[in-house]
Amino acid sequence: MRLSDKLRLKWLMATKTLDYSAEATDRMYRVYLNHGKVIHYRKGHPVYSLSSPALFTGPSANFFARQLYKSIHGKNTPNLLSFAITDECNATCSHCSFYAKEKKESRPVVTREQAIYLLKSAQDLGVSVINFTGGEPLMRPDLPEIIKSIDKDLSTVALFTNGWHLEERCSELKAAGLDSLYVSVDSSDPVAHDKARGLEGLSARGERGIAKALSAGFSVGLSCCVTPESFKAGELGRVIERAKDLGVHEVIVYDAAPTGRYAERCDLGSRAWLEEMIESVKKHNEDYSYPGVLVYAYTTSHRSVGCSSGVNYFYLSPWGDVCPCDFNHMIYGNALERPLYEIWDKMTSLPDFTCAKWGYCRMKDPKFADAKTISREFKKYD
């Protein structure tokens, strides 16, 4: 390269790099989230979504470094783990994806030591986001000790809760190093919300917990499950308005899946209402007075990452089983009986999980209805 060209390139890098990096970051998040809003600054670091690491942190560096090594070894590795830390729950939500039947598993849930081992194995595999689910994770007394064991330089840690125990446990969760939490709110009407979840007083307790979590500095969101009928009735719009009033940072919107207690519903796979829902939240994402709205149907579509269950993330059951995601309960091995990396290799070598699927969740695709890799109840892959 000529000296004049080198000098010109250096000058361009010195004067353009910051603007270019900011533009690239904005575009990256717009593709992933359908918006480019910074929704919160947690410990001074910008947060675009509770479902991704804050920028300029160890977990975000881990995420970007792992993308490089994926391209080198040509093998999918997980970015995200969803860990159902308990099978206990004090609610009886009609749409619950965890409970297919009311009968309890006879197996004991993982011990604290086993949970810590599983989390270490997941971090060794590359996860930069760890979500705790259940059941209701705050019914597990030793959850703070389990959270404390996680290497926070590698992974950001989030929690999905119904909010019943949040106010009383908020301080210990903060001390343990939890970063973010989602509180489930499916209706803006407290009475309807409590009825749908079978727990009187849940809405009020959840809102007190949200207020305390916000004051403690957590990134806080609402998790909303939407059905075709609730969307048609305008419930999502009202929940987003409620989220704005509460001052939370994000609303994550899950379109109800035909699994768990909804396993027999055959009306959830229509793309028309999902497209309408994606379009309906654009005005909120363009308005900085509203929280960010992350629509799961958008992220699983061709516009974003696609359905990447079993490709870029996986689910651990309360008993150590490895499944593609929270909604697909096909078991590909138990990580207490066999190394996690071997189970991941087995699962991601199957044709259905070698790459992400465009066009919404696999569980809703008629082509996958009878697939050997899909199950609406916990059962072993053979």
Side-chain angles (χ1 to χ4, degrees):
M1 184 184 292
R2 294 178 303 178
L3 178 59
S4 60
D5 290 334
K6 286 184 178 180
L7 291 174
R8 187 172 185 178
L9 179 60
K10 288 182 179 180
W11 179 81
L12 286 169
M13 291 180 69
T15 58
K16 301 293 185 182
T17 298
L18 287 176
D19 285 343
Y20 185 81
S21 297
E23 177 67 19
T25 299
D26 179 72
R27 292 195 183 192
M28 176 181 70
Y29 280 106
R30 284 186 182 279
V31 170
Y32 175 44
L33 304 171
N34 206 17
H35 71 78
K37 293 194 291 192
V38 175
I39 60 171
H40 187 217
Y41 282 91
R42 188 173 63 242
K43 298 179 182 177
H45 297 287
V47 177
Y48 285 81
S49 172
L50 279 61
S51 296
S52 62
L55 275 186
F56 313 119
T57 62
S60 67
N62 183 39
F63 171 81
F64 290 118
R66 290 290 178 169
Q67 303 317 299
L68 170 65
Y69 284 101
K70 283 183 183 183
S71 67
I72 292 173
H73 54 55
K75 180 71 177 177
N76 287 326
T77 52
N79 304 323
L80 185 150
L81 161 65
S82 183
F83 191 177
I85 198 66
T86 180
D87 61 353
E88 296 290 334
C89 192
N90 55 340
T92 53
C93 307
S94 58
H95 63 269
C96 182
S97 63
F98 181 78
Y99 290 103
K101 295 186 175 71
E102 299 308 314
K103 69 180 183 67
K104 293 277 291 180
E105 283 268 352
S106 58
R107 297 179 290 168
V109 300
V110 294
T111 65
R112 182 193 312 178
E113 292 72 21
Q114 288 172 331
I116 291 171
Y117 164 74
L118 292 172
L119 289 164
K120 174 66 165 58
S121 299
Q123 290 196 297
D124 287 346
L125 205 52
V127 299
S128 55
V129 180
I130 295 171
N131 290 334
F132 285 104
T133 64
E136 168 50 48
L138 291 184
M139 292 186 71
R140 179 152 185 156
D142 61 357
L143 180 61
E145 287 75 21
I146 294 170
I147 293 172
K148 196 175 295 183
S149 74
I150 296 169
D151 186 342
K152 309 304 191 304
D153 284 333
L154 295 178
S155 307
T156 187
V157 187
L159 171 76
F160 284 78
T161 175
N162 63 33
W164 183 267
H165 296 291
L166 180 55
E167 183 180 22
E168 66 200 62
R169 303 205 66 184
C170 203
S171 297
E172 57 179 329
L173 293 172
K174 188 67 176 177
L178 185 72
D179 294 314
S180 309
L181 54 91
Y182 288 106
V183 178
S184 298
V185 175
D186 306 315
S187 175
S188 57
D189 175 19
V191 175
H193 175 74
D194 293 357
K195 183 178 179 181
R197 291 183 173 264
L199 197 55
E200 187 176 351
L202 177 59
S203 181
R205 288 181 66 122
E207 291 194 5
R208 292 199 300 271
I210 287 169
K212 187 161 185 180
L214 288 169
S215 66
F218 286 106
S219 297
V220 182
L222 301 187
S223 174
C224 181
C225 179
V226 180
T227 62
E229 58 270 23
S230 67
F231 175 69
K232 185 177 181 180
E235 194 57 69
L236 176 58
R238 291 191 290 271
V239 168
I240 294 172
E241 293 293 340
R242 186 63 185 138
K244 179 184 178 182
D245 293 341
L246 290 170
V248 301
H249 306 112
E250 185 173 44
V251 178
I252 188 168
V253 184
Y254 291 101
D255 47 295
T259 188
R261 289 180 177 145
Y262 272 178
E264 304 306 318
R265 286 197 59 165
C266 302
D267 62 328
L268 301 176
S270 168
R271 292 190 182 185
W273 78 279
L274 298 178
E275 288 291 332
E276 188 179 349
M277 182 165 62
I278 291 168
E279 191 66 27
S280 74
V281 304
K282 284 185 178 180
K283 60 181 181 290
H284 303 296
N285 278 334
E286 291 168 359
D287 186 338
Y288 279 75
S289 69
Y290 282 88
V293 184
L294 175 57
V295 178
Y296 185 67
Y298 169 86
T299 63
T300 57
S301 75
H302 64 280
R303 305 171 183 86
S304 183
V305 296
C307 179
S308 55
S309 64
V311 177
N312 291 315
Y313 77 93
F314 69 101
Y315 168 91
L316 277 173
S317 79
W319 313 285
D321 304 315
V322 178
C323 304
C325 77
D326 306 56
F327 309 123
N328 179 359
H329 293 160
M330 183 64 73
I331 298 169
Y332 289 90
N334 188 289
L336 297 176
E337 300 169 357
R338 183 179 175 188
L340 177 59
Y341 75 88
E342 290 187 2
I343 301 172
W344 177 263
D345 185 51
K346 170 187 174 181
M347 182 168 66
T348 57
S349 296
L350 296 168
D352 286 342
F353 300 118
T354 54
C355 64
K357 172 196 169 293
W358 274 2
Y360 307 116
C361 171
R362 285 179 174 85
M363 302 299 291
K364 294 188 171 188
D365 191 332
K367 292 186 296 186
F368 285 85
D370 299 316
K372 192 179 179 183
T373 55
I374 295 290
S375 177
R376 289 168 169 76
E377 298 183 23
F378 288 106
K379 73 174 185 179
K380 291 182 180 180
Y381 176 84
D382 51 28

